[in-house]
Amino acid sequence: MAVPLSSAKFHTSILTQSLPSSSSRSFSVGKRFCCSSSSTSMEHHESKFKEFPYASVPHRELMVELVSTVENRLGESLLPCTLPSHVQYFENESATAHASLYVRSGNSSSQVDFILGSWVHCNLPTGGALNITSLSVYLRPSTDAPNFLIEVIQSSPTTLILILDLPPRKDLVQHPDYLKTFYEETQLDKQRQLLEKLPEVKPYFSSSLYIRALVSPSAILVSIETDPSQAIRIDEIIQDHISPVAKVMLDTWLNLCACTERRLTDDESKDLAKRDQIIKNKTIEIDLESSFPRLFGQQVANQVLGVLREIYNS
Amino acid sequence: MAVPLSSAKFHTSILTQSLPSSSSRSFSVGKRFCCSSSSTSMEHHESKFKEFPYASVPHRELMVELVSTVENRLGESLLPCTLPSHVQYFENESATAHASLYVRSGNSSSQVDFILGSWVHCNLPTGGALNITSLSVYLRPSTDAPNFLIEVIQSSPTTLILILDLPPRKDLVQHPDYLKTFYEETQLDKQRQLLEKLPEVKPYFSSSLYIRALVSPSAILVSIETDPSQAIRIDEIIQDHISPVAKVMLDTWLNLCACTERRLTDDESKDLAKRDQIIKNKTIEIDLESSFPRLFGQQVANQVLGVLREIYNS
């Protein structure tokens, strides 16, 4: 779906409060774009994405495991990542913000449209850093099954926001059978309830109403805050609680959504394609168009967003 | 919308835990149906609804003010309540559960389909009582504007659940302009945030995923729990916090939804009527069909539900 890198809107408050405006700076993108002039091979960048170099150990292990699980399960139905190197890795002029994107499209017979992974790291003026990692998988209109989404936002060693969901691709109010199949019978809400039980966990409300409307009624949108004296507790929560929940949800999605055929009529597929496209356009608008210029400068943002728009519209 | 008397599903946990099963009882509905054999005039029942006899003073004042505001503003476009007396007021055989319903349809030129008010009072085996009051207003497919809904559930002097929303009548994901008009530009989420600030207030998750899907992204779904030694605090919260928020939301709804025309094509109205009908059917199924037999016995429940189904399908 939606919210591949929702760095922006999901975290508007942090970004708004913490980041200096970059609008008045001039960027020499051609020179500063990549990490270093020697870092141009696709292999390097691809492995760079999977390194999640700024994430904590359990955060990194979680993301690596999820990406590997998706890639192993979907196997050869995924084409190699062909993003230009300056989109696979980019940073701002002052090298205080870094990001990596990773996109693999499904082959023509796959139900997968594309997977999109990302990480963003950004130094905060307060001395800390913002680390965002995400993985989304978008399906094609040959199936109406939900997409997959995880996003982990850490703005300090003791605070974390988690968005984890199988975002629906149909209006659940009009399609109670769809709700039953993908959300009630799978008992996904039990996973949300597992996290809700932890005293450090609170429901999280995105500042974007559109994002709130996009997610399913069993979506996990939580903020986690631990005592500042117990920074290690966040790591424990990721490892012992978030990780098993994320794996259950990904397995459910792989079995029921990515790897199960759904028979749709031509009209159904047409309606679905229209709805999918609205979601993609709104996601780029809400999620990235406001934050990327601020994080990376207008010129870098334009180039990265240009490539993403092509993928979202192909 | 939806959830007129969501006594049931909104409060499944309380009902499930607290109420004895009534399936094995035999009810002599004809005799016990009404409060007393002399209580048959419509005036009596209508005023009984508006008395909210079991609610606390601030709870009653809130509901009376909301119902009056709607009736005064909509004026003669609302037809008189013509519910049969045994649906305007009914109770179970042992007189431990009581309820009142109140329905006024819009006249043929009104955008209002009908307003539905209710209260339910039920003694709990624990010694306490469950008090639910609600007001919903459903609009016709001549407009696509949101409905109005408030439901207040008190299961003890120190606990309360509030559902307050303008439930959307279109898929917000596909209609970002609709989201903008009715939810973003009205800044309804600020009202939710006002309540969220109170330390006694927590987000509430309905056990029904369908109900969660029905409400808007700025819906107020909260549970409120005060210290048992400070029962009066709930009254203060109703009076000083819930009441002003509810009035703002009702005013917004009256101005923007009930009393503003929206030009729809025939196809749009047709799609809307279809979606509205699905909501009504699901609401009765989720919300009432499971709880009314338990609260009032199968025979009373059948008669009341029969009348409600007629209204919902007319």
Side-chain angles (χ1 to χ4, degrees):
Chain A
M1 87 146 194
V3 213
L5 284 176
S6 45
S7 39
K9 204 63 185 184
F10 274 130
H11 226 60
T12 297
S13 56
I14 288 175
L15 290 178
T16 308
Q17 289 160 23
S18 315
L19 296 175
S21 162
S22 62
S23 57
S24 59
R25 298 184 204 162
S26 79
F27 283 81
S28 52
V29 178
K31 288 179 196 164
R32 302 286 324 223
F33 228 30
C34 291
C35 187
S36 78
S37 57
S38 63
S39 311
T40 51
S41 79
M42 198 179 89
E43 292 70 23
H44 174 90
H45 289 300
E46 182 164 330
S47 69
K48 192 158 191 79
F49 162 71
K50 292 183 187 173
E51 282 169 14
F52 297 98
Y54 297 98
S56 67
V57 173
H59 184 164
R60 178 188 312 133
E61 284 176 351
L62 167 66
M63 292 307 296
V64 167
E65 177 153 6
L66 296 179
V67 174
S68 307
T69 304
V70 168
E71 291 194 313
N72 290 338
R73 182 72 180 269
L74 299 178
E76 291 180 2
S77 69
L78 294 179
L79 304 172
C81 178
T82 57
L83 286 180
S85 59
H86 66 270
V87 178
Q88 288 195 37
Y89 175 77
F90 51 96
E91 59 186 33
N92 67 349
E93 192 183 36
S94 54
T96 53
H98 313 254
S100 177
L101 295 187
Y102 181 66
V103 174
R104 292 184 65 182
S105 299
N107 67 26
S108 56
S109 61
S110 170
Q111 295 198 130
V112 172
D113 189 356
F114 58 88
I115 71 170
L116 190 156
S118 76
W119 57 254
V120 173
H121 167 82
C122 166
N123 294 340
L124 297 172
T126 52
L130 178 65
N131 280 303
I132 303 171
T133 63
S134 80
L135 174 66
S136 330
V137 194
Y138 290 74
L139 295 179
R140 289 218 173 91
S142 54
T143 174
D144 60 2
N147 293 326
F148 178 80
L149 166 73
I150 184 168
E151 179 154 333
V152 183
I153 304 166
Q154 269 200 282
S155 57
S156 86
T158 57
T159 57
L160 183 147
I161 290 170
L162 171 69
I163 294 119
L164 177 56
D165 192 30
L166 274 52
R169 291 170 65 220
K170 293 175 95 160
D171 173 18
L172 299 177
V173 172
Q174 275 195 90
H175 299 281
D177 287 348
Y178 186 94
L179 178 73
K180 192 177 169 201
T181 301
F182 292 109
Y183 302 97
E184 291 173 352
E185 290 179 348
T186 52
Q187 303 197 309
L188 286 179
D189 200 50
K190 285 198 174 167
Q191 301 303 314
R192 188 190 63 76
Q193 290 167 23
L194 283 174
L195 293 185
E196 194 187 33
K197 281 179 190 162
L198 301 177
E200 296 93 343
V201 169
K202 286 186 184 152
Y204 171 69
F205 291 84
S206 166
S207 58
S208 160
L209 298 187
Y210 194 81
I211 298 296
R212 291 192 211 163
L214 269 176
V215 295
S216 83
S218 57
I220 295 175
L221 286 99
V222 292
S223 68
I224 303 172
E225 188 163 359
T226 63
D227 192 287
S229 65
Q230 294 191 316
I232 201 174
R233 177 68 181 139
I234 283 274
D235 288 350
E236 281 175 12
I237 291 175
I238 294 175
Q239 202 168 304
D240 300 341
H241 302 280
I242 293 177
S243 185
V245 161
K247 284 176 205 163
V248 168
M249 288 179 68
L250 181 59
D251 279 347
T252 303
W253 179 81
L254 282 166
N255 293 332
L256 191 65
C257 304
C259 303
T260 299
E261 283 190 20
R262 303 258 302 168
R263 285 185 197 171
L264 307 186
T265 64
D266 285 350
D267 280 351
E268 284 172 327
S269 288
K270 222 169 139 183
D271 289 346
L272 207 61
K274 205 176 140 192
R275 194 178 188 275
D276 285 350
Q277 197 53 52
I278 294 171
I279 292 173
K280 288 174 182 168
N281 293 345
K282 283 297 290 183
T283 301
I284 290 201
E285 177 197 320
I286 294 172
D287 211 26
L288 307 178
E289 283 178 354
S290 63
S291 66
F292 266 32
R294 187 193 298 254
L295 283 166
F296 300 103
Q298 195 65 55
Q299 205 171 345
V300 174
N302 286 350
Q303 298 206 30
V304 172
L305 288 170
V307 172
L308 281 179
R309 278 192 206 99
E310 272 177 38
I311 294 164
Y312 276 47
N313 287 305
S314 66
Chain B
M1 85 146 194
V3 213
L5 284 176
S6 45
S7 39
K9 205 61 185 185
F10 273 130
H11 225 60
T12 296
S13 56
I14 287 176
L15 290 177
T16 308
Q17 288 160 22
S18 315
L19 296 176
S21 163
S22 62
S23 57
S24 58
R25 298 185 204 162
S26 79
F27 284 81
S28 52
V29 178
K31 288 180 196 163
R32 302 291 321 228
F33 229 27
C34 292
C35 188
S36 78
S37 57
S38 63
S39 313
T40 51
S41 79
M42 199 179 88
E43 292 71 22
H44 173 92
H45 289 301
E46 183 164 329
S47 69
K48 193 160 190 77
F49 162 70
K50 292 183 187 174
E51 282 167 16
F52 297 98
Y54 297 97
S56 67
V57 173
H59 184 163
R60 178 189 312 134
E61 285 176 351
L62 166 67
M63 293 307 296
V64 167
E65 177 154 6
L66 296 179
V67 173
S68 307
T69 304
V70 168
E71 291 194 314
N72 291 339
R73 181 71 179 270
L74 299 178
E76 292 181 0
S77 70
L78 293 179
L79 303 171
C81 178
T82 56
L83 285 181
S85 59
H86 66 268
V87 177
Q88 288 195 37
Y89 175 76
F90 50 96
E91 60 186 32
N92 67 348
E93 192 183 35
S94 54
T96 53
H98 313 255
S100 177
L101 294 187
Y102 181 67
V103 174
R104 292 184 66 183
S105 298
N107 67 25
S108 56
S109 61
S110 170
Q111 293 198 133
V112 172
D113 190 355
F114 58 88
I115 71 170
L116 190 156
S118 76
W119 57 254
V120 173
H121 167 82
C122 167
N123 293 339
L124 297 173
T126 51
L130 178 64
N131 279 303
I132 303 171
T133 63
S134 80
L135 173 67
S136 330
V137 194
Y138 290 75
L139 296 179
R140 287 217 173 92
S142 54
T143 174
D144 60 1
N147 293 327
F148 178 80
L149 166 73
I150 184 168
E151 180 154 333
V152 183
I153 304 166
Q154 268 200 284
S155 58
S156 86
T158 56
T159 56
L160 183 146
I161 290 170
L162 171 69
I163 294 119
L164 177 56
D165 192 30
L166 275 52
R169 292 170 64 219
K170 293 176 94 160
D171 174 18
L172 300 177
V173 172
Q174 274 195 91
H175 299 281
D177 287 348
Y178 185 94
L179 178 73
K180 192 177 168 201
T181 301
F182 293 109
Y183 302 97
E184 291 173 352
E185 290 179 346
T186 53
Q187 302 197 309
L188 285 180
D189 201 50
K190 285 198 174 167
Q191 301 303 314
R192 188 191 63 76
Q193 290 168 22
L194 283 175
L195 293 184
E196 193 188 32
K197 282 179 191 162
L198 301 177
E200 296 93 343
V201 169
K202 287 187 184 151
Y204 171 69
F205 291 84
S206 166
S207 59
S208 160
L209 297 187
Y210 193 80
I211 298 296
R212 291 191 211 164
L214 271 176
V215 294
S216 82
S218 57
I220 295 175
L221 286 99
V222 292
S223 68
I224 303 173
E225 189 163 358
T226 62
D227 192 287
S229 65
Q230 294 191 314
I232 201 174
R233 177 67 181 140
I234 283 274
D235 288 350
E236 281 174 10
I237 291 175
I238 294 175
Q239 201 168 305
D240 300 341
H241 301 280
I242 293 177
S243 186
V245 161
K247 285 176 204 165
V248 168
M249 287 179 67
L250 181 59
D251 279 348
T252 303
W253 179 81
L254 282 166
N255 293 332
L256 191 65
C257 304
C259 303
T260 300
E261 283 191 21
R262 303 258 302 167
R263 286 185 195 171
L264 306 186
T265 65
D266 286 350
D267 279 351
E268 283 173 329
S269 288
K270 220 167 140 184
D271 289 346
L272 207 61
K274 204 176 140 193
R275 194 177 187 276
D276 284 349
Q277 196 54 52
I278 294 171
I279 291 173
K280 288 174 182 168
N281 293 344
K282 281 299 289 183
T283 300
I284 290 203
E285 177 196 321
I286 294 172
D287 211 27
L288 307 178
E289 284 178 353
S290 62
S291 66
F292 266 32
R294 187 192 299 253
L295 283 166
F296 300 103
Q298 195 65 54
Q299 207 171 344
V300 174
N302 286 350
Q303 298 206 30
V304 173
L305 288 171
V307 172
L308 281 179
R309 276 191 207 101
E310 271 176 38
I311 294 164
Y312 276 47
N313 287 306
S314 66

